[in-house]
């Protein structure tokens, strides 16, 4: 069993911190060789001082001095957006964990794929924006794309025995001398699944803090209320996305690209306890599901895959689980799900537009410039105004992203709260 060398992008965030926990827990299996963050220089230095990666990167170049001053050893230092792509592609590693909030992870993820690195993807936004390109390039480069998002990690665990046998990787791959391809029992890319007998993928959603709030109270929802997630402790953006259900909407599109299923096969069910992470229903009606509400589990499995490694995490106590509940989402009250389905079905640049408009609307809500329902109203308005470009290349996607941000920003300025 090999030790995986991992570069973590978004090291100071909630996923980045959980990845550090995994590395501390099973150091014989995980070696952090690179850490990157946006601007929290002190936190980045503290993590680096403990984990001692050979390379660190700070995107905000004004924080370089602070980073240097707080480092107690001398790693290679990268900076800026170029530095982010460099740490993802030039450092000797087996895998890059992309845990950057928003769209900033797209270019470094593509750079990592080009350099033949396996990807562990937490940043669902990059698959929403450019799922087709990310998956196509990963297939061309024969790298694995391993989902970290808990639902998708669960689905992956249900489907992993069904990795398409027609996509066997060569047993010796010069570009991949250290990847797990040679040691993997499967020896195939995990981005191509045989889903011919999959009837439905059912993503579970906690329903967020407003699961039972009547829609007529939505306009009065405060930032503080929206930031209180009932079951998960996460970064601010994904927490607001969980309250509007845009998170689940983004995850529907993420599942469509990761597993190669049609949008019509991806459904959502409300499950307040967040114990059953997701389900796969097969042609014969059998349903497989997996459990646990601690991000260390999916992060560890994405890193150690295909091996299962003992850890110090507490096992699930089924005796303690009083009741598991499931319910249909309130589609009319939470339009995010319908908007995401529309974006995923239309395809082209529309998912990138939904994603970008949502990012701007969430920041405006967090800055108290927009009400809670105005988040999806803004997204819908921007989507309506967009003419989607079919099969876009990266430039077209980035242009649509840029346009949608400007459009959402303009819309936000016209609003009266
Ligand atoms: P967070 O806000 O806690 O952390 C974000 C990290 O990204 C920070 O390290 C920050 O420095 C970095 N970052 C932000 N903008 C950047 C940029 N332009 N360039 C480089 N680095 C940048 O976010 P999080 O909750 O850890 O979420 C990260 C990603 O993982 C998101 O895409 C989220 O949807 C996804 N995700 C998170 C969870 C969770 O439990 N937190 C679960 C599933 C998926
Ligand atoms: Mg999730």
């Amino acid at each position: 069993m090999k030790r995986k060398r991992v570069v973590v992008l978004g090291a100071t965030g909630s996923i980045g911190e959980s990845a550090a926990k995994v590395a501390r827990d099973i150091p014989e299996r995980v070696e952090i060789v690179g850490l990157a963050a946006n601007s929290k220089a002190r936190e980045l230095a503290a993590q680096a001082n403990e984990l001692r990666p050979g390379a660190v990167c700070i995107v905000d170049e004004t924080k370089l001095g602070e980073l240097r001053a707080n480092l107690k050893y001398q790693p290679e230092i990268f900076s800026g957006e170029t530095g982010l792509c460099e740490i993802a592609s030039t450092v000797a590693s087996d895998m890059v964990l992309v845990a950057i909030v928003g769209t900033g992870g797209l270019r470094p993820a593509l750079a990592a794929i080009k350099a033949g690195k396996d990807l562990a993807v937490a940043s669902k936004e990059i698959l929403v924006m450019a799922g087709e390109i990310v998956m196509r390039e990963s297939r061309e480069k024969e790298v694995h794309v391993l989902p970290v998002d808990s639902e998708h990690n669960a689905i992956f665990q249900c489907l992993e025995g069904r990795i398409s046998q027609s996509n066997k990787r060569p047993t010796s791959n010069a570009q991949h001398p250290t990847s797990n391809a040679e040691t993997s029992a499967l020896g195939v890319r995990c981005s191509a699944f045989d889903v011919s007998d999959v009837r439905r993928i059912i993503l579970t959603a906690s329903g967020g803090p407003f699961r039972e709030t009547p829609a007529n109270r939505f306009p009065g929802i405060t930032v503080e209320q929206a930031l209180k997630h009932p079951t998960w402790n996460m970064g601010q953006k994904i927490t607001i996305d969980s309250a509007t259900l845009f998170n689940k909407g983004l995850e529907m599109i993420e599942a469509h690209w990761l597993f190669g299923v049609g949008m019509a096969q991806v459904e959502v069910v409300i499950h307040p306890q967040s114990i059953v992470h997701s389900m796969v229903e097969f042609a014969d009606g059998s349903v497989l599901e997996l459990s646990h509400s601690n991000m260390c589990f999916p992060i560890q499995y994405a890193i150690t895959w295909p091996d299962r490694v003992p850890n110090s995490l507490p096992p699930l106590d089924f005796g303690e689980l009083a009741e598991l509940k499931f319910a249909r989402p309130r589609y009319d009250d939470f339009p995010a799900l319908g908007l995401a389905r529309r974006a995923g079905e239309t395809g082209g640049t529309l998912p990138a537009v939904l994603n970008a408009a949502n990012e701007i609307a969430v920041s405006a809500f967090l800055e108290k410039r927009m009400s809670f329902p105005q988040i999806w109203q803004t997204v819908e308005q921007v989507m309506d105004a967009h003419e989607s470009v079919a099969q876009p290349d990266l430039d077209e996607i980035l242009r649509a992203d840029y346009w949608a941000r400007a459009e959402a920003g303009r819309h936000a300025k016209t609003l009266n709260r």
Side-chain angles (χ1 to χ4, degrees), residues 144-259:
H144 298 289
V145 177
L146 293 138
V148 167
D149 211 347
S150 57
E151 296 77 2
H152 304 73
N153 192 273
I155 295 162
F156 172 67
Q157 296 191 39
C158 293
L159 292 180
E160 67 173 325
R162 301 164 172 273
I163 291 172
S164 175
Q165 293 302 310
S166 59
N167 284 297
K168 277 200 178 31
R169 223 159 133 145
T171 41
S172 88
N173 180 345
Q175 278 186 306
H176 240 274
T178 54
S179 97
N180 57 7
E182 297 79 23
T183 53
S184 156
L186 297 160
V188 293
R189 292 193 303 265
C190 65
S191 47
F193 295 92
D194 176 3
V195 288
S196 53
D197 57 356
V198 170
R199 196 190 280 164
R200 289 187 297 167
I201 280 182
I202 305 157
L203 301 174
T204 53
S206 72
F210 311 120
R211 181 170 52 90
E212 294 187 325
T213 308
N216 62 9
R217 295 226 210 110
F218 285 176
I221 285 171
T222 65
V223 171
E224 293 69 26
Q225 288 167 333
L227 283 176
K228 277 206 192 92
H229 195 275
T231 44
W232 294 98
N233 188 6
M234 310 178 286
Q236 285 200 334
K237 197 243 168 195
I238 183 173
T239 305
I240 301 301
D241 283 349
S242 300
T244 58
L245 296 199
F246 265 116
N247 181 50
K248 212 49 57 182
L250 298 176
E251 289 182 0
M252 289 164 65
I253 303 174
E254 182 185 13
H256 159 62
W257 286 119
L258 274 171
F259 304 113

Side-chain angles (χ1 to χ4, degrees), residues 10 12-15 38 59 99-101 122-125 149 234-235 295:
T12 54
S14 148
I15 291 286
N38 191 33
V59 174
I100 290 175
V101 64
S123 306
K124 61 197 84 187
E125 294 92 336
D149 211 347
M234 310 178 286
M295 284 309 292

Side-chain angles (χ1 to χ4, degrees), residues 15-97:
I15 291 286
E17 294 283 356
S18 294
K21 270 191 211 153
V22 171
R24 269 179 223 122
D25 196 23
I26 48 168
E28 68 290 357
R29 299 305 308 269
V30 184
E31 180 186 3
I32 303 290
V33 293
L35 289 173
N38 191 33
S39 60
K40 289 186 178 163
R42 226 174 266 267
E43 286 90 336
L44 178 62
Q47 223 187 65
N49 288 335
E50 183 204 343
L51 299 167
R52 298 281 160 152
V56 294
C57 173
I58 187 103
V59 174
D60 180 347
E61 292 179 323
T62 66
K63 300 289 173 70
L64 258 174
E66 195 181 337
L67 176 65
R68 283 207 178 91
N70 284 281
L71 281 169
K72 294 186 181 142
Y73 72 114
Q74 290 178 330
E76 187 177 359
I77 298 181
F78 296 89
S79 67
E81 282 175 22
T82 318
L84 195 60
C85 289
E86 284 166 358
I87 196 171
S89 56
T90 63
V91 169
S93 69
D94 302 305
M95 168 179 274
V96 176
L97 167 60

